[in-house]
Amino acid sequence: MTHPTFPTIAFAPARRAFLSRSAVLSATAVAMLGGAPLQGFAASHGSEAAANDLAILNVALGLEHEGIAAYQIGAESGLLSKPLLDVAVLFKGHHEGHREVLVQAIETLGGRPVEAAPMATYRDSGKLNVKSIRSAEDILRLAQRLELGAVNAYLGVIPSFGDRNLARVAGTLIADEALHYTALTQALGEPLPQQSMSFGG
C-alpha cells in the first residue's frame, strides 16, 4: 500500500510565502484588469464576448469553490498526517487565492460571482464521493483528480476568452494547478508522465 509523503518538496515555509504570493498574484491580476475601466474593458471585445468571458469565469469560480471544499474536507477528516495536513492547508490557500482573483475579475466585468454551495452539498456530491474516503491516500487521489480536472478545464477555456488578459490570468492559475497535481502524484508514489504535453488531453 502506498504511504503518501512529500519527501523532496520543501513546503515548510510556504504558508507564509503563499500569503505573500497570493497578494502579489491578486495585485497583478487586478492591475491587468484594472488597467481598463469596466465599460471600456467590456466594450473592448463586445458585450457578447464579455458575457461569454463572465460565464467562463463563473464556471472556473465554481471549480475553485469545489476545490476549496475538498481540501477542507480532507483537512477535517483526521486521516492526514501533520505534513500532509500542512500541504492540504497550503493548497487550499492557493485555491482561495484563485477564488479571490476570479471574484475580482467577475466584478470588474460587472458580473455577479457565483457563491459557494453549503459544505453539506460538497460532502454529498457524487463527484467528490466523500463517503468512499477511508484513508489519506483516498484524500490525495481525490485532490489529484480534481487538480488534473482543473488543469484541463482551464486549458480548454483559454482559447475562448475574448479578452487576452483573462487568458493570461487563467494561464497563471494553471501553473498552480499543475504544481498541485505534480506534488500529489509524487506523494502517491506514482511516476511522472513520460510524455511531454501530458495535460489537456
Side-chain angles (χ1 to χ4, degrees), residues 3-200:
H3 297 284
T5 60
F6 287 87
T8 60
I9 302 176
F11 285 107
R15 177 68 179 169
R16 184 168 47 194
F18 160 70
L19 294 174
S20 167
R21 185 166 167 274
S22 273
V24 172
L25 178 61
S26 298
T28 301
V30 169
M32 283 191 294
L33 297 170
L38 174 60
Q39 290 184 347
F41 185 79
S44 67
H45 58 296
S47 58
E48 183 177 346
N52 184 60
D53 285 351
L54 275 172
I56 294 171
L57 291 170
N58 257 323
V59 170
L61 179 57
L63 291 176
E64 295 293 345
H65 286 321
E66 182 180 65
I68 292 166
Y71 279 110
Q72 183 67 36
I73 290 168
E76 294 175 350
S77 69
L79 296 170
L80 298 178
S81 64
K82 180 63 167 59
L84 290 175
L85 177 60
D86 288 345
V87 173
V89 171
L90 174 68
F91 287 1
K92 175 175 173 282
H94 287 180
H95 285 284
E96 290 170 343
H98 298 172
R99 177 187 62 193
E100 178 185 345
V101 168
L102 291 168
V103 166
Q104 290 176 357
I106 291 166
E107 290 178 342
T108 299
L109 281 171
R112 181 177 180 179
V114 65
E115 296 183 359
M119 279 300 292
T121 299
Y122 297 112
R123 291 185 184 281
D124 294 337
S125 163
K127 178 181 177 183
L128 299 186
N129 197 17
V130 172
K131 294 179 180 177
S132 71
I133 292 176
R134 298 287 185 274
S135 67
E137 181 176 345
D138 292 339
I139 294 172
L140 294 187
R141 291 199 180 283
L142 169 60
Q144 182 197 39
R145 175 165 59 85
L146 294 178
E147 298 289 1
L148 179 60
V151 170
N152 290 332
Y154 280 122
L155 284 173
V157 300
I158 279 181
S160 300
F161 279 119
D163 187 282
R164 305 315 298 165
N165 284 331
L166 295 177
R168 182 178 174 187
V169 172
T172 304
L173 302 186
I174 287 173
D176 274 355
E177 313 292 10
L179 181 153
H180 296 170
Y181 173 80
T182 302
L184 292 163
T185 297
Q186 184 183 43
L188 286 164
E190 296 180 354
L192 295 175
Q194 297 300 304
Q195 304 295 323
S196 62
M197 302 181 72
S198 55
F199 295 108

